[in-house]
Amino acid sequence: GGCVGTACAMSDIEFGVPALGTMAHSWIQMFDTEYEAFKAYEAFRLESDVTNANGESPTAKDYFIKKAELRDFIQDQRALGMNIVPEIDMPAHATSFTKIWPELMVQGAVSPLNSNRPLVDHFDVSKQAAIDKIKEIFDDYTTGENPTFDADTIVHVGADEFVYNYTAYRQFVNQIVPHVKQTNTVRMWGGFTWIKDNPETPIITEA
């Protein structure tokens, strides 16, 4: 009998059983609110050349992976038969980006699902400027003479758990997926069964 660890952080705190497993179980429980956990955890650890008007980049300042390092890793693993699928999750779960471009984040709204959590991690994709910025972020890795994500790399655009403006979300998908498809095969999380407006905004064939 016995165990080597638990996904329940409270078992670690109360009984000394090492906390293991997902962030959802082991990290968030260490904070009073989900919002505090996300603020403490968030970091974009990939080199980015996209900056705001003040020259600030979303790249984490403590440590990060250089573009060339990730490109070489993806290609080295592919040569061994392993396909690495990088994901940049947009337009939610994007605190590392919305703190750099706060004018593009959702303002004054809270989550209807998670204890009225402020939606500071959401790009406001009802603004075309926000969609254009997300395109620019992906272009930083998918375009150029020697892109970080070459044409053989499948790119995951995230697109899950957006709880603000469902019409804008579906219009965003209709733009971002065909955009990234110009250079790469695209993957995204499924959400259309519940992220629906009324009347329903159709998802175009190209997406």
Side-chain angles (χ1 to χ4, degrees), residues 38-199:
F38 284 168
K39 284 198 302 181
Y41 173 83
E42 69 81 22
F44 186 65
R45 302 202 182 279
L46 180 58
E47 178 184 13
S48 174
D49 291 327
V50 183
T51 60
N52 63 15
N54 297 321
E56 299 169 318
S57 162
T59 300
K61 293 181 172 59
D62 51 357
Y63 70 91
F64 62 90
I65 301 170
K66 293 183 178 180
K67 289 181 180 179
E69 292 173 336
L70 181 57
R71 180 180 61 244
D72 291 347
F73 175 73
I74 290 172
Q75 295 177 6
D76 288 347
Q77 294 303 304
R78 185 187 301 144
L80 297 173
M82 179 73 70
N83 288 322
I84 304 298
V85 181
E87 177 188 0
I88 304 176
D89 200 357
M90 306 275 191
H93 306 304
T95 306
S96 294
F97 299 96
T98 57
K99 72 180 182 181
I100 300 299
W101 294 281
E103 71 278 8
L104 300 179
M105 78 165 62
V106 169
Q107 303 280 350
V110 297
S111 170
L113 305 176
N114 298 321
S115 303
N116 291 324
R117 174 177 63 84
L119 296 179
V120 295
D121 66 316
H122 279 43
F123 269 109
D124 185 354
V125 289
S126 67
K127 300 176 180 178
Q128 185 59 44
I131 298 178
D132 291 343
K133 183 58 63 179
I134 293 171
K135 290 179 180 178
E136 183 183 0
I137 291 166
F138 277 102
D139 287 349
D140 190 33
Y141 304 108
T142 61
T143 62
E145 292 184 4
N146 194 14
T148 306
F149 306 156
D150 64 12
D152 293 324
T153 300
I154 297 172
V155 174
H156 203 300
V157 298
D160 67 325
E161 300 181 345
F162 188 82
V163 294
Y164 175 58
N165 181 326
Y166 291 173
T167 299
Y169 168 86
R170 295 173 77 92
Q171 292 171 343
F172 161 76
V173 170
N174 283 340
Q175 287 198 51
I176 194 62
V177 173
H179 181 79
V180 179
K181 273 187 175 181
Q182 294 178 66
T183 55
N184 298 80
T185 299
V186 173
R187 295 289 183 268
M188 62 174 285
W189 296 112
F192 295 137
T193 56
W194 67 274
I195 304 181
K196 294 193 291 189
D197 48 359
N198 186 16

